[in-house]
Amino acid sequence: MTKANLSKHILFFTAAIFWFAQYAHTPFVNPQLITMGAVASLMGIIGGAYGFTQFVLRIPVGILSDKWQRKFFVCAGCLCAALAGLIMFLFHNPAGFLLGRALGGVAASSWVSMTVLYVSYFNTEQAARPITVINMANQIGRLLAFITGAMVASAITPQAAFLVSAIGGFAGFVLSLFITEPKQSTPQTHLKLRDFLAVAKERNLLVTSVLAVFVQLLAFATATTFTPNHAVSIGATPAALGGIQVALLVPSIVLSFLLSKFILRRIDAKPLVVIGFFFTALYCVFVPFTATIMQLYWVQALGGIGTTLTFSLLMGLCVERVALEQRGAAMGFFQSIYGIGMTAGPLIMGILADTRDLHFGFLVMAGIATCAMLAAALCLRRPGRVFFFCKKRTKKT
């Protein structure tokens, strides 16, 4: 096995462990806040802090990752994930959770470097397939995180799941030290600000980034942040809180494998994104009407399929027409912009839950998912337009 192939596999496992560290504790954040007496709007602020720091940092990280070694950001991201879990374990209160979730967002900013570095190991112009593979590492890590976190929370205490995250982050940091970058990973010519602005104007990048805002808004308003609240209301135990996340991820992992090996070789990614938004809309409609944990398990599977068809494919499409030396900046732009959705989703849902109720919030999210589906059908289908209301300018000859 060549050094590049070995590093590719190490990075895959590092990514899995990194996301393990990021998610082992997440099913227990809102349930623990409920026991502390926090209102839904405060939960939304704490949940949104994770997306806000990514929104601020991902563009700078994308630019810097095209100048420095991307391995540096991978290592730093794992270390920040470890510190985030440790802070929430030691300072188990709303303030500690706010700081920990914000630091978790700092850690997640390194995903820019991980994804672009992984793509650089492949000699292909098509970025959708290798990014689907690295997203599968994300999903495997999250799956193991939810299973382990649920077991630890049931056997010991939910607070122990935060320590599990810290241990996972430190393990990922140690493994990341053994990554070797391919020579073409870090370009010799670096982007200046004006070059970055030119990259950000690329039509395909703009369309996919805006659609990704809706994907993350919906995911962080529901499955990641407030679906556990509904689960608690219908009697979920700590084990069940982990179980609903496992039910979300198992279909996602299977679908990611099928996408990378079979589906994307036969079907274009763009119509699949539209189908993904449709499944997400159905998910948002069905969740508030589930009355048992078993019903919620089945609905979670629907949500997992929807998110995989939208987010994984949009991430691959966003850099498909961008030169190698600009992909770090493009991915930084993409991941920074969708941080808006990660911030806004929990905030909007928290306000809706406090002013009306959680069921109403889920139905509003179903409406947003339907609008996103229509926008995706129009924007991705018509190459002559940037958005459905804005025609692409063409030079006169």
Side-chain angles (χ1 to χ4, degrees):
M1 182 180 292
T2 65
K3 193 175 284 188
N5 279 334
L6 178 60
S7 289
K8 178 177 68 177
H9 293 307
I10 292 174
L11 180 58
F12 181 91
F13 286 108
T14 299
I17 296 171
F18 170 78
W19 288 112
F20 173 94
Q22 290 281 71
Y23 278 90
H25 64 276
T26 54
F28 310 103
V29 172
N30 274 16
Q32 288 291 286
L33 288 169
I34 291 172
T35 64
M36 299 172 193
V39 296
S41 54
L42 177 58
M43 297 178 199
I45 292 171
I46 291 172
Y50 178 78
F52 179 74
T53 49
Q54 292 183 61
F55 170 66
V56 172
L57 291 177
R58 273 182 159 163
I59 287 178
V61 168
I63 294 175
L64 290 174
S65 72
D66 283 331
K67 294 183 178 182
W68 304 348
Q69 281 198 336
R70 294 190 173 110
K71 174 181 174 179
F72 168 81
F73 293 98
V74 175
C75 296
C78 292
L79 193 57
C80 286
L83 293 175
L86 188 61
I87 287 171
M88 288 183 282
F89 174 73
L90 295 176
F91 304 98
H92 207 66
N93 53 57
F97 279 22
L98 179 62
L99 178 59
R101 291 301 286 161
L103 188 57
V106 174
S109 299
S110 67
W111 188 232
V112 178
S113 300
M114 290 190 198
T115 51
V116 177
L117 179 57
Y118 192 77
V119 170
S120 70
Y121 290 109
F122 293 83
N123 295 319
T124 176
E125 294 297 323
Q126 299 295 320
R129 286 178 58 197
I131 286 187
T132 301
V133 174
I134 194 66
N135 276 331
M136 191 161 57
N138 175 321
Q139 293 160 347
I140 291 171
R142 289 163 60 192
L143 176 63
L144 295 175
F146 294 137
I147 293 172
T148 306
M151 292 173 60
V152 170
S154 298
I156 307 174
T157 173
Q159 186 174 349
F162 295 85
L163 182 59
V164 170
S165 286
I167 294 170
F170 283 118
F173 171 72
V174 172
L175 185 60
S176 68
L177 297 175
F178 296 94
I179 294 171
T180 302
E181 294 193 44
K183 291 181 180 179
Q184 72 273 22
S185 171
T186 306
Q188 298 300 312
T189 57
H190 307 310
L191 287 184
K192 297 178 181 178
L193 180 59
R194 65 175 180 271
D195 300 318
F196 173 77
L197 294 175
V199 172
K201 291 178 182 178
E202 201 277 321
R203 177 196 178 274
N204 189 64
L205 177 59
L206 284 172
V207 170
T208 54
S209 297
V210 173
L211 290 175
V213 170
F214 288 102
V215 176
Q216 296 291 42
L217 185 151
L218 294 163
F220 276 77
T222 58
T224 302
T225 307
F226 281 100
T227 296
N229 289 47
H230 175 71
V232 169
S233 72
I234 59 175
T237 63
L241 288 172
I244 63 172
Q245 300 297 339
V246 171
L248 184 84
L249 278 172
V250 169
S252 298
I253 294 170
V254 174
L255 181 57
S256 292
F257 175 79
L258 293 175
L259 285 169
S260 63
K261 295 295 182 180
F262 306 106
I263 298 175
L264 288 176
R265 294 181 180 181
R266 295 168 174 83
I267 303 175
D268 186 68
K270 294 176 182 179
L272 295 176
V273 173
V274 178
I275 295 170
F277 277 119
F278 174 71
F279 281 127
T280 302
L282 291 179
Y283 169 77
C284 293
V285 170
F286 291 153
V287 167
F289 294 102
T290 56
T292 67
I293 296 299
M294 187 56 65
Q295 291 175 356
L296 187 56
Y297 284 159
W298 287 106
V299 175
Q300 286 288 92
L302 187 65
I305 293 171
T307 301
T308 301
L309 286 175
T310 50
F311 184 65
S312 294
L313 297 180
L314 287 171
M315 183 176 284
L317 290 169
C318 82
V319 296
E320 196 168 50
R321 300 175 188 173
V322 177
L324 176 64
E325 65 271 13
Q326 298 175 327
R327 282 185 174 178
M331 188 64 74
F333 177 84
F334 175 80
Q335 295 187 8
S336 176
I337 294 301
Y338 76 57
I340 296 172
M342 299 168 72
T343 305
L347 289 173
I348 294 171
M349 193 67 154
I351 292 170
L352 291 172
D354 276 342
T355 55
R356 291 289 296 271
D357 56 46
L358 201 58
H359 287 203
F360 177 75
F362 272 97
L363 295 179
V364 170
M365 293 301 149
I368 293 174
T370 302
C371 293
M373 178 187 69
L374 296 174
L378 290 167
C379 299
L380 296 178
R381 187 182 62 180
R382 299 182 181 180
R385 297 189 177 193
V386 176
F387 300 107
F388 62 89
F389 55 82
C390 180
K391 291 184 178 179
K392 183 181 178 182
R393 293 182 179 178
T394 56
K395 293 183 179 179
K396 292 183 180 180
T397 56

